[in-house]
Structure formats: C-alpha cells, structure tokens
Amino acid sequence: MKISARNALKGVVKSVELGAVNAEIVVEIAPGKEITSIITKKSCENLGVKVGKEVYAVVKASSVMIGTD
Amino acid sequence: MKISARNALKGVVKSVELGAVNAEIVVEIAPGKEITSIITKKSCENLGVKVGKEVYAVVKASSVMIGTD
Amino acid sequence: MKISARNALKGVVKSVELGAVNAEIVVEIAPGKEITSIITKKSCENLGVKVGKEVYAVVKASSVMIGTD
Amino acid sequence: MKISARNALKGVVKSVELGAVNAEIVVEIAPGKEITSIITKKSCENLGVKVGKEVYAVVKASSVMIGTD
Amino acid sequence: MKISARNALKGVVKSVELGAVNAEIVVEIAPGKEITSIITKKSCENLGVKVGKEVYAVVKASSVMIGTD
Amino acid sequence: MKISARNALKGVVKSVELGAVNAEIVVEIAPGKEITSIITKKSCENLGVKVGKEVYAVVKASSVMIGTD
C-alpha cells in the first residue's frame, strides 16, 4: 500500500517495550537520530517488529510540530 | 520549555509554503532525510520560520506509526 | 508497505476538494457510510487521488474516539 | 453535544481489552468492516462501553490518511 | 452524543478565520486563556460556529503533551 | 525550545497514574477546569512530573475539535 503520510523514515529497530495494550518502539533513522513510536501491541506482533528489523517510522505531516531554540 | 514529545529532530528548513490558514514546512534532518510539517500560518510567522533556519521537527510518540516492506 | 495503523477501510473516492496546502477527500466505505480525510494537496497529487478511484481510509487506533447516544 | 469531527460511524462493540491506562475497543461498523480504537480506561468505564453496545467510532478528518494499492 | 474525549472545555468563540478547506477558531475558555482549533470549513458551517457562540474545545487525551519551564 | 503548538495552558498537576508504557496526567488549568494528558511513562519521568508541579498542557491546534450543545 502507498500511503498519503508524507513522512516515512527508514531505520532499524533499537528497542521494543510491551505494555498490556500498547508497545513502545525506538527506531534509529540516522546515526544518533532516533524516533520513538507508540503502536498497539497487536500491530507490533502483526508486523513482526523486533530489535534489528528494518522498518519505517511513518508520520502524517499534520502531526509534526516545529520547535526553535 | 521542555516538552514531553519524545521526538525532536534537529534540521534545517528547506521550503515553506503558505496557505490561507496552514503552512507546509519541509525540514532536512539528515542528508537526504526530510520531514514535512503542517502548522498554522500564524505559528509559522510567530516562530520566524524561513528557508535556512535551524529548527526541530517535533512529534509525539503516539503519532508515529511503523511500516515494513 | 505494511503499516501499523490498525484501520484501513477500503472504499471509493466520492469527492476531492483542493485548498492551497490541504485537500479534503470523501471516501465511501460502505453503502451510505462515508469517511472524510484531510491530507496535503501534494499527497493527493502523488497518489493520483480522484473521484471513482479505489482507496483505503487509514486511521491509527489512537486517533479513534468512541461516542454513545 | 454535536461535534466538529467529520466522521462518526455507527457500529457495535465486538471486543474490549483493558490495560493499566488505556483500553482497546473494536467496533463493527458494517458487515466485515471493523474499526479499532484506543481510549483511556476511564473513558471506557464512563461511557459504559461493553461488547454488544451500539457506539460511534469518531475520527477527526485530519487524522485520516489515504492509501492506495 | 457523549464522547470518549476526556477534555471538553466550555468557552466562547473569539474569532473565526476561513481558508479554502480549513477554518481556524479561537475559543476563550477562562479569562485570558484561549484555545486555538483547526477544523474543516464544512464543520465550522455545519455547527454554525461564529464569534460569541458558546462552544466546547474538545481534545483527546492522547493529543495532549506536557511542557515544563 | 519555542514550539509551534498554538496551545500551551499553564496549570498544576493534580494526579499522575502510571501504566506499563503510558502515563495519565491530570492538570488543573483554571479553577474547576482540568485537562487530561496521556504521555509515555518515560517522558513523565524525564520531565519529573508529579502532583503539585507547575506544567503546561500543550496541544497542536489541528488536534482540537469544536463541540456545541
């Protein structure tokens, strides 16, 4: 499936932490640059997400804020 | 302000496109890796966002999905 | 790409309305059941979204609320 | 309350799964078409959500993405 | 409709600004405390939102971040 | 960091509830007006969120809906 979400950053899963309903996944998208994602535990299992796997961190543009120093 | 959003990726603004209410901003966070953001035009003006400026692309972890090939 | 978003409802595009930055797309996912989506105009163009096209309305589970009468 | 969210799809609760903070609710909105929602456990209790109950799956248009094959 | 969104803050509309697809609405929820909302122009029209009207600013808990000084 | 999110409502933490992955935080932003937030447990710990602490409830404008009676 091609998706309208403008952001799909390729990376490697660094950690997976499971709760009762949700899972927290950390993806390294560039050396020293990580993105943390919260998805349902079921999605995590359905996609076979585990440490070392190549995945995309996908974000809808309207969910991205801008910060300045 | 320190913010709970787990993701704050430093980068440089590559383009800014203004609509009536919203603005679309593209930030390069690593060579060849870009993130697109939609914020209100007023926020864009308040922060002085313009091409070349150093900014952070900020994303709440619950807004990040995971994709696999 | 397989995506962690739990909801991908197949349907047919009923209307597309373009703004300066965003586009509003209405998808019929079952007889008389429609879903409205706001995506960037660029995503709309990249995906070739137009009336009559088969698409999926994709929603992350954490973006779905529950209402009762 | 009337709400600005453009999408309110009527359906029947198929399952409820409780975590410590969140709950996962699956709603059948048409034969064979389901939507999964994550809401807080407290909202789940406040609304009396349980299997068999008629509810609406409510989604803000800006949270809906479009996918294509 | 009762809705699972945990936050429904009563207030008065201070301004409405219309774009091609979206509308920006500012609601005063307490003296000197305002909330800005972006909804579709159609929702704005459907609800009859205009300056001076009593409305609720409704936010899903998972969309609220925490900041500290 | 200055952030593009249009809404940053100052308040005091009334309660913190921890799950395995997420935390639920209630902030009083005006007498009798509370906002509930779900953030990751790690963010909660990183920011030192606890009952009585002064914090901001931060919300992107595109996450705010409007309701009417």
Side-chain angles (χ1 to χ4, degrees), chain B residues 1-6 8 37-44 46-47 56 58 60-62, chain F residues 1-6 8 37-44 46-47 56 58 60-62:
Chain B
M1 186 164 64
K2 273 183 68 181
I3 188 121
S4 62
R6 292 285 293 278
S37 162
I38 301 286
I39 61 174
T40 60
K41 194 169 67 168
K42 274 182 201 152
S43 281
C44 187
N46 290 346
L47 292 174
Y56 297 86
V58 179
K60 198 174 189 304
S62 57
Chain F
M1 184 163 65
K2 271 182 72 181
I3 188 117
S4 61
R6 292 283 293 277
S37 162
I38 300 287
I39 61 175
T40 61
K41 194 170 66 167
K42 273 182 201 150
S43 282
C44 186
N46 290 348
L47 292 175
Y56 297 86
V58 179
K60 197 173 189 303
S62 57

Side-chain angles (χ1 to χ4, degrees), chain E residues 1 4 6 10 17 20 25 35 39 43 46-47 50 53 56 62-64 66 68-69:
Chain E
M1 186 164 65
S4 61
R6 290 287 290 280
K10 202 172 194 169
E17 195 166 335
I25 295 159
I35 290 190
I39 61 175
S43 280
N46 290 345
L47 292 176
K50 58 184 177 188
K53 190 180 173 74
Y56 297 87
S62 57
S63 297
V64 181
I66 299 292
T68 56
D69 276 324

Side-chain angles (χ1 to χ4, degrees), chain E residues 33 66-67, chain F residues 9-16 25-31 33-36 49-57:
Chain E
K33 295 230 176 190
I66 299 292
Chain F
L9 299 159
K10 202 173 195 167
V12 173
V13 176
K14 303 307 276 184
S15 71
V16 177
I25 295 159
V26 178
V27 180
E28 190 179 52
I29 56 163
K33 296 230 176 189
E34 294 180 347
I35 290 190
T36 300
V49 176
K50 59 183 177 190
V51 174
K53 190 180 172 74
E54 276 213 341
V55 300
Y56 297 86

Side-chain angles (χ1 to χ4, degrees), chain A residues 25 35-39 58-60 62-66, chain B residues 3-9 57-65, chain C residues 60 62, chain D residues 22, chain E residues 59-67, chain F residues 3 21-25 36-41 43 57-60 63:
Chain A
I25 296 159
I35 290 189
T36 300
S37 162
I38 301 286
I39 60 174
V58 179
V59 188
K60 198 173 189 304
S62 57
S63 297
V64 181
M65 292 161 283
I66 299 293
Chain B
I3 188 121
S4 62
R6 292 285 293 278
N7 303 298
L9 299 158
V58 179
V59 187
K60 198 174 189 304
S62 57
S63 297
V64 181
M65 293 162 283
Chain C
K60 198 172 188 309
S62 57
Chain D
N22 285 310
Chain E
V59 187
K60 198 174 188 306
S62 57
S63 297
V64 181
M65 292 162 282
I66 299 292
Chain F
I3 188 117
V21 165
N22 285 310
E24 177 180 316
I25 295 159
T36 300
S37 162
I38 300 287
I39 61 175
T40 61
K41 194 170 66 167
S43 282
V58 179
V59 187
K60 197 173 189 303
S63 296

Side-chain angles (χ1 to χ4, degrees), chain E residues 29-52:
Chain E
I29 55 163
K33 295 230 176 190
E34 293 180 347
I35 290 190
T36 300
S37 162
I38 301 285
I39 61 175
T40 60
K41 194 169 66 167
K42 274 181 200 152
S43 280
C44 187
E45 294 165 353
N46 290 345
L47 292 176
V49 175
K50 58 184 177 188
V51 174

Side-chain angles (χ1 to χ4, degrees), chain C residues 50-63:
Chain C
K50 58 183 178 189
V51 174
K53 189 179 173 75
E54 275 211 343
V55 299
Y56 297 86
V58 179
V59 187
K60 198 172 188 309
S62 57
S63 297

